[in-house]
Amino acid sequence: MKYHDVIVVGGGLAGLRAAIEVNMHNLKAAVLSKVYPIRSHSIAAQGGINAPLGNHPRGGYDSWERHAFDTVKGSDYLADQDAVVTMIKDASERIYEMEHWGCPFSRNPEGKIAQRPFGGAGFPRTCFAADKTGHMLLHTLYEQAVKYEQAAERGELKIYNEWLITRLVVEDGVCRGVIALELATGNLEAFKADAVVFATGGCGRLYSNSTNALINTGMGMAVPYWAGIPLKDMEFVQFHPTTLYGSNILMTEGARGEGGYLTNNKGERFLANYPDSRKAMEVAPRDIVARSMTTEILEGRGFEDAYLHLDLRHLGEEKIATRLPGIRDICRKFLGIDPVDEAIPVQPGQHYTMGGIDCNKDGASRVKGFYAAGEAACVSVHGANRLGGNSLLETIVFGKIAGEHASNYIAAKADLGAGDKALADALAQEESKLEKLLGSDGPEDPSVLKEEMQNLMRDNVGIFRTKEGLSEAVPKIRELRERYKNIRLRHTGRSYNYDLMWNIELGGSLDVAEVVIAGALAREESRGSHFRRDFTKRDDDKFLKHTLAYYTPEEPKLEYSDVSLGYWEPKERKY
Amino acid sequence: MAEYIFEVFRFDPDADSKPRFDIFRVPPFKKGLTVLEALFYVQEKLDGSLAFRSSCREGACGSCAMHINGKYRLSCETQVKDLFSDKVVVQPLGHLRVLRDLVVDMEPFFAKYKYIMPFLMPGSPPPERERPQTVGDQMKVLPSVDCILCACCHASCTVTGTDPEYLGPAALLWADRFVRDSRDDALDERLRLVDQLHGIWRCHTIFSCQEVCPKDLDPTGAIADLKRRALRRKLLGQ
Ligand SMILES: Cc1cc2nc3c(=O)[nH]c(=O)nc-3n(C[C@H](O)[C@H](O)[C@H](O)COP(=O)(O)OP(=O)(O)OC[C@H]3O[C@@H](n4cnc5c(N)ncnc54)[C@H](O)[C@@H]3O)c2cc1C
Ligand code: FES
């Protein structure tokens, strides 16, 4: 049995930042990740990261209050306002820290970190590193992790590459560690820890039209859910307006921030025709733009009834080459077009998971010693809709906070190193489950189940939702969960058995998908990203509250909890 | 059109005495079909034992590099039709031990990267706000910072093949990225690490790294830059 003070699951931005924090507290931290850290989904973030630095000529009057207000308004008042304030007050310091650690941010003529406008923000406050901000940030944190992996001056920092966590071990309300599968050998192992931080990212691949990495299956949310920790606000799924037609690769919001146009098959900038987006046009918040686009396509003003145009041509080659080189590269490689000469075919697609593992603004959950951070967590700072550039911020702010609180918890913990028996029992159970799965010989082809789930989520739990569609999805997902019990694996070897890995994760995806559906059906209102055609208004009397879903073997059990207000009164969200 | 013929390298060191190629028929089931999507088709529909890595599917994470029809490339951003061939031959990265099929041992590659101290080493404690950097100075670390550590360059380098201890194009590119950063103050230390028997002088400027780099980076140029700086330091004391 391996033993570390703190185990961080996930090597993305949130996970690495948490591990570095634990390491700074002179504790032994281990990062477990199913891929090498720099292969995490954070690498793909393009547009930027928000902080009220006030470096832009038009940003001089920006302040934490304004940034926090934009965030709360953007969230359609579902965000916990104290948590938002915590995040924004810490934002500038975290950005400067990343800069001090070497992040190659783009600069303005004064030599300061450059900032640009982004959707839903009152001031240009999005810091960026060309259009590869996630890549630059993740490499910077990985570099710091590499530095302290070898250095003796602080606590231990160890990275376990290519381990899949299958189980969280909780004993009498106290977290004891995790069980993980080593992909190289196919062996399961128990990892004892006095605290565990989950930073496992979002679950975009519940949907067929997602911008997310293939590895974002939702397994990292299913594991704590199975261990009794509720998932919060899972019905809030952000759809990004501009994803590349065909592959749903993201075309950053920065492309619109830099002045790109959205046009329909008549060549009109159609956002002017919708009251919600008339003023802000292309930089209106994502949910609003995505809905206008979907309506446009449904009403026949799209191309091939499937996509619209993102037109950058008027920006000119130089601006496209210096500010949006990643976009240009993707267009060339995946479509064979150059945005300098041609408009880009785009359609809305699943993009971000606002919901997640229920935790508070310390990253702490209701299980002692169990923390969550980043996209996997729901603090909640994004509420019903996340503003572009705020989730990268969330990863480094709450990664640090979770690492800090986990470390403090350990400092005060009495029974350090306890839990051997619980871990051994859990390991034995996981062993027999794995044996059973490897020997499974049912009639169901798991790749078909996955496809059916992803299409169901896209069609029935997408941008526009109705009671009929959602009620239909409930028995359907249950049927898929049943059929999952009768799957057949195609390969029974142990070493690098990806068939096994993907299909263990499919079990997690199905259960998390069920939570999204249940939450969406129960929430009879429209708020932020959650749009019900049958309840088109926000209903604060009934639904100004967080959904909490608890695991039971039959179906998720829903409860609700209060939203923390106190700074700003809920108002109608208008742009 | 008819089907594509995929010839895929297979090897399980625990079970097989030697590697082999398996042949799979993959229909062009989707417009813009990529090699990665074709491999998933094989794994999900034809042979679940096929092992290969992937994550982002958009050329950003560096997981899926392999040898495809004569060239090291990222399988996720390689469209099958762009190969202009009905036959697609897929092999693992070279100069790295095969763990299974298309999965190779990346540890020696990362060890080299870690060896060159890939992190900023500034000479002074951090100011309260950002360290100032001019637009021009920031541009000097571009585009090297775009490296995704996919190891295409490592696999294509003939020197890496003959001298396993050679630091290789990726690690040296990263060394140069930090040397070029106006905020870094560790030139001596950095040159000491690369100006050695298995370092910069091993590069024979064959340019294969530059040719295969999916991000169009120029490790050969970066190595030349390090050579220049090392010479200047030695001869002129600059
Ligand atoms: C294409 C794209 C562009 C984006 N652009 C922006 C942007 O411009 N600005 C912005 O603010 N946000 C952006 N976002 C959102 C932002 O990138 C993510 O929310 C953020 O990077 C998530 O980071 P994370 O550390 O929480 O998780 P991730 O980076 O997703 O990391 C999750 C980690 O958990 C590991 N893991 C998961 N499950 C398991 C398991 N069961 N066992 C072991 N390991 C596991 C994975 O291996 C991985 O290391 C973008 C998102 C997308 C899809
Ligand atoms: S899967 Fe990420 S680069 Fe190919």
Side-chain angles (χ1 to χ4, degrees):
Chain A
M1 187 179 302
K2 296 198 160 68
Y3 177 29
H4 301 271
D5 295 329
V6 179
I7 283 185
V8 178
V9 181
L13 283 168
L16 289 181
R17 187 62 191 80
I20 288 169
E21 190 64 23
V22 171
N23 174 257
M24 283 177 172
H25 282 77
N26 281 315
L27 292 170
K28 294 192 165 97
V31 175
L32 270 70
S33 171
K34 62 186 174 187
V35 296
Y36 276 81
I38 53 159
R39 318 293 192 211
S40 302
H41 174 59
S42 291
I43 203 79
Q46 301 173 347
I49 175 165
N50 296 341
L53 303 182
N55 286 352
H56 192 276
R58 281 189 288 120
Y61 296 104
D62 204 3
S63 64
W64 74 260
E65 286 94 340
R66 289 171 201 270
H67 185 176
F69 172 70
D70 286 344
T71 304
V72 168
K73 180 180 168 195
S75 81
D76 223 346
Y77 294 90
L78 192 69
D80 285 327
Q81 299 188 358
D82 53 346
V84 171
V85 168
T86 302
M87 175 168 88
I88 310 296
K89 279 192 168 170
D90 201 27
S92 301
E93 199 180 322
R94 294 281 78 74
I95 300 279
Y96 291 139
E97 179 178 74
M98 292 303 297
E99 195 281 330
H100 296 155
W101 285 342
C103 183
F105 283 111
S106 296
R107 301 288 171 150
N108 68 14
E110 293 167 61
K112 295 178 180 172
I113 295 171
Q115 297 188 281
R116 66 178 162 208
F118 236 46
F123 289 90
R125 64 167 77 96
T126 304
C127 312
F128 58 97
D131 56 359
K132 298 190 174 167
T133 313
H135 169 95
M136 305 296 182
L137 290 170
L138 188 59
H139 271 270
T140 304
L141 281 187
Y142 185 61
E143 288 157 11
Q144 291 300 306
V146 164
K147 179 170 170 187
Y148 291 105
E149 208 180 12
Q150 291 147 336
E153 66 205 73
R154 293 196 199 159
E156 179 187 88
L157 200 168
K158 189 166 165 46
I159 299 177
Y160 291 88
N161 298 306
E162 305 190 321
W163 288 73
L164 176 75
I165 283 40
T166 61
R167 168 118 176 219
L168 178 69
V169 182
V170 176
E171 184 186 31
D172 303 327
V174 184
C175 176
R176 299 300 192 195
V178 297
I179 310 293
L181 176 79
E182 183 178 28
L183 295 183
T185 60
N187 294 331
L188 285 162
E189 193 146 358
F191 285 75
K192 184 162 68 175
D194 289 305
V196 171
V197 180
F198 259 50
T200 47
C203 57
R205 289 285 160 180
L206 301 182
Y207 287 79
S208 59
N209 59 344
S210 175
T211 62
N212 286 197
L214 303 173
I215 62 168
N216 283 17
T217 57
M219 178 73 180
M221 292 175 177
V223 167
Y225 173 59
W226 291 330
I229 295 149
L231 298 182
K232 185 157 86 193
D233 291 342
M234 290 298 290
E235 61 271 32
F236 295 103
V237 177
Q238 182 167 82
F239 295 86
H240 197 287
T242 50
T243 77
L244 198 64
Y245 175 58
S247 56
N248 296 107
I249 294 174
L250 181 78
M251 298 285 103
T252 171
E253 185 162 328
R256 283 171 288 133
E258 296 289 352
Y261 296 151
L262 282 171
T263 55
N264 61 17
N265 64 13
K266 296 183 186 151
E268 292 170 341
R269 286 175 69 194
F270 55 87
L271 291 173
N273 306 334
Y274 295 85
D276 287 350
S277 53
R278 179 180 301 143
K279 242 172 81 191
M281 292 296 285
E282 277 81 2
V283 294
R286 292 180 176 170
D287 56 327
I288 292 172
V289 178
R291 278 198 294 275
S292 303
M293 288 175 71
T294 307
T295 308
E296 207 65 13
I297 295 171
L298 288 174
E299 291 180 0
R301 291 185 294 278
F303 300 87
E304 299 176 38
D305 285 331
Y307 60 89
L308 293 154
H309 274 161
L310 172 63
D311 200 339
L312 305 181
R313 287 174 293 187
H314 57 285
L315 300 180
E317 176 156 10
E318 197 191 317
K319 193 160 185 185
I320 293 175
T322 53
R323 290 298 181 86
L324 304 163
I327 290 289
R328 192 179 189 189
D329 196 41
I330 290 170
C331 287
R332 281 177 169 164
K333 288 204 168 119
F334 290 86
L335 273 185
I337 67 166
D338 186 341
V340 170
D341 308 317
E342 270 177 79
I344 310 168
V346 292
Q347 64 179 184
Q350 189 289 340
H351 183 51
Y352 186 80
T353 313
M354 264 78 72
I357 304 163
D358 175 41
C359 65
N360 64 19
K361 67 183 197 316
D362 298 338
S365 70
R366 53 196 69 200
V367 164
K368 281 197 199 124
F370 180 75
Y371 298 79
E375 192 169 339
C378 183
V379 176
S380 144
V381 287
H382 307 303
N385 174 53
R386 163 189 77 110
L387 294 189
N390 266 358
S391 50
L392 289 179
L393 178 62
E394 178 192 17
T395 63
I396 55 174
V397 169
F398 288 102
K400 177 191 183 326
I401 288 177
E404 190 176 301
H405 283 270
S407 302
N408 294 342
Y409 164 77
I410 290 182
K413 190 177 180 223
D415 61 343
L416 291 176
D420 286 1
K421 167 110 187 12
L423 283 157
D425 290 349
L427 179 63
Q429 286 166 8
E430 287 300 294
E431 293 275 13
S432 66
K433 257 169 62 188
L434 184 68
E435 289 292 339
K436 205 173 136 229
L437 190 60
L438 281 170
S440 60
D441 193 19
E444 297 290 348
D445 174 350
S447 69
V448 171
L449 299 188
K450 183 178 81 181
E451 207 179 307
E452 286 184 28
M453 170 192 74
Q454 291 179 332
N455 290 342
L456 176 73
M457 295 303 283
R458 180 196 61 198
D459 298 339
N460 292 36
V461 202
I463 295 180
F464 290 112
R465 300 168 175 182
T466 60
K467 184 169 190 145
E468 292 71 55
L470 293 166
S471 313
E472 204 180 274
V474 173
K476 178 72 193 169
I477 194 80
R478 241 172 254 163
E479 174 208 313
L480 291 173
R481 283 180 63 201
E482 280 307 310
R483 284 163 62 194
Y484 176 75
K485 293 178 185 156
N486 297 314
I487 57 168
R488 183 183 62 252
L489 286 198
R490 292 172 177 274
H491 180 51
T492 54
R494 285 268 180 153
S495 157
Y496 285 107
N497 185 344
Y498 283 94
D499 191 37
L500 174 68
M501 183 194 86
W502 290 116
N503 289 317
I504 291 177
E505 297 202 46
L506 178 60
S509 303
L510 288 167
D511 284 12
V512 175
E514 190 180 27
V515 174
V516 179
I517 297 168
L521 178 62
R523 189 173 280 275
E524 298 188 327
E525 65 159 352
S526 289
R527 181 187 297 273
S529 67
H530 172 69
F531 193 88
R532 289 276 303 251
R533 280 198 195 274
D534 39 359
F535 298 92
T536 55
K537 289 268 174 302
R538 195 175 83 193
D539 185 348
D540 283 346
D541 290 340
K542 279 203 205 132
F543 289 106
L544 183 57
K545 52 191 186 180
H546 299 297
T547 311
L548 293 175
Y550 292 81
Y551 176 76
T552 75
E554 296 76 43
E555 59 183 0
K557 186 165 76 58
L558 297 188
E559 287 179 13
Y560 292 89
S561 72
D562 289 340
V563 176
S564 133
L565 304 168
Y567 291 82
W568 297 277
E569 272 308 303
K571 280 200 289 223
E572 196 192 342
R573 176 168 164 256
K574 263 197 183 145
Y575 288 92
Chain B
M1 72 157 278
E3 296 162 324
Y4 292 113
I5 308 292
F6 270 72
E7 275 186 37
V8 184
F9 178 96
R10 306 300 303 272
F11 184 50
D12 180 353
D14 294 336
D16 306 337
S17 57
K18 60 179 193 328
R20 63 173 196 280
F21 281 88
D22 279 352
I23 293 182
F24 301 104
R25 291 167 185 282
V26 179
F29 57 91
K30 128 173 226 258
K31 208 175 137 194
L33 179 74
T34 64
V35 173
L36 183 67
E37 287 166 333
L39 292 176
F40 268 113
Y41 177 87
V42 172
Q43 193 185 69
E44 291 180 353
K45 305 288 177 201
L46 306 176
D47 183 347
S49 67
L50 180 64
F52 57 91
R53 291 186 173 108
S54 67
S55 171
C56 72
R57 69 79 177 87
E58 59 174 79
C61 77
S63 298
C64 68
M66 49 190 80
H67 192 261
I68 303 164
N69 281 12
K71 193 180 163 187
Y72 290 103
R73 334 175 193 233
L74 299 175
S75 61
C76 69
E77 63 174 26
T78 303
Q79 290 189 36
V80 181
K81 80 167 170 31
D82 290 345
L83 297 170
F84 298 106
S85 161
D86 294 348
K87 190 168 121 182
V88 183
V89 184
V90 185
Q91 290 172 262
L93 286 173
H95 310 331
L96 293 164
R97 192 165 56 98
V98 174
L99 299 175
R100 231 168 70 74
D101 301 343
L102 303 169
V103 176
V104 295
D105 181 7
M106 295 295 284
E107 287 305 322
F109 173 77
F110 274 100
K112 290 172 184 185
Y113 160 80
K114 290 175 183 177
Y115 175 84
I116 59 96
M117 306 180 89
F119 40 80
L120 195 74
M121 292 192 271
S124 54
E128 207 161 290
R129 293 181 59 110
E130 66 268 64
R131 283 198 173 81
Q133 187 174 45
T134 64
V135 174
D137 278 345
Q138 193 264 348
M139 301 275 263
K140 285 188 189 147
V141 303
L142 305 175
S144 298
V145 283
D146 288 353
C147 171
I148 56 174
L149 294 168
C150 65
C152 279
C153 57
H154 180 97
S156 75
C157 174
T158 47
V159 184
T160 315
T162 50
D163 175 9
E165 282 179 54
Y166 172 47
L167 286 173
L172 292 173
L173 177 88
W174 278 94
D176 188 55
R177 171 254 178 275
F178 286 103
V179 163
R180 283 162 170 273
D181 197 319
S182 63
R183 300 168 298 174
D184 195 78
D185 245 331
L187 184 63
D188 282 339
E189 177 73 357
R190 295 197 185 284
L191 289 180
R192 186 182 64 75
L193 291 171
V194 301
D195 180 3
Q196 45 121 321
L197 186 62
H198 303 288
I200 41 181
W201 308 109
R202 281 274 153 148
C203 170
H204 293 183
T205 49
I206 300 164
F207 292 102
S208 54
C209 52
Q210 188 212 48
E211 196 186 314
V212 297
C213 178
K215 297 287 140 189
D216 292 329
L217 308 181
D218 181 11
T220 317
I223 297 169
D225 182 53
L226 291 171
K227 285 179 178 168
R228 235 179 349 257
R229 289 177 199 259
L231 276 181
R232 230 185 278 142
R233 173 123 309 205
K234 256 192 199 133
L235 302 178
L236 306 172
Q238 285 175 355

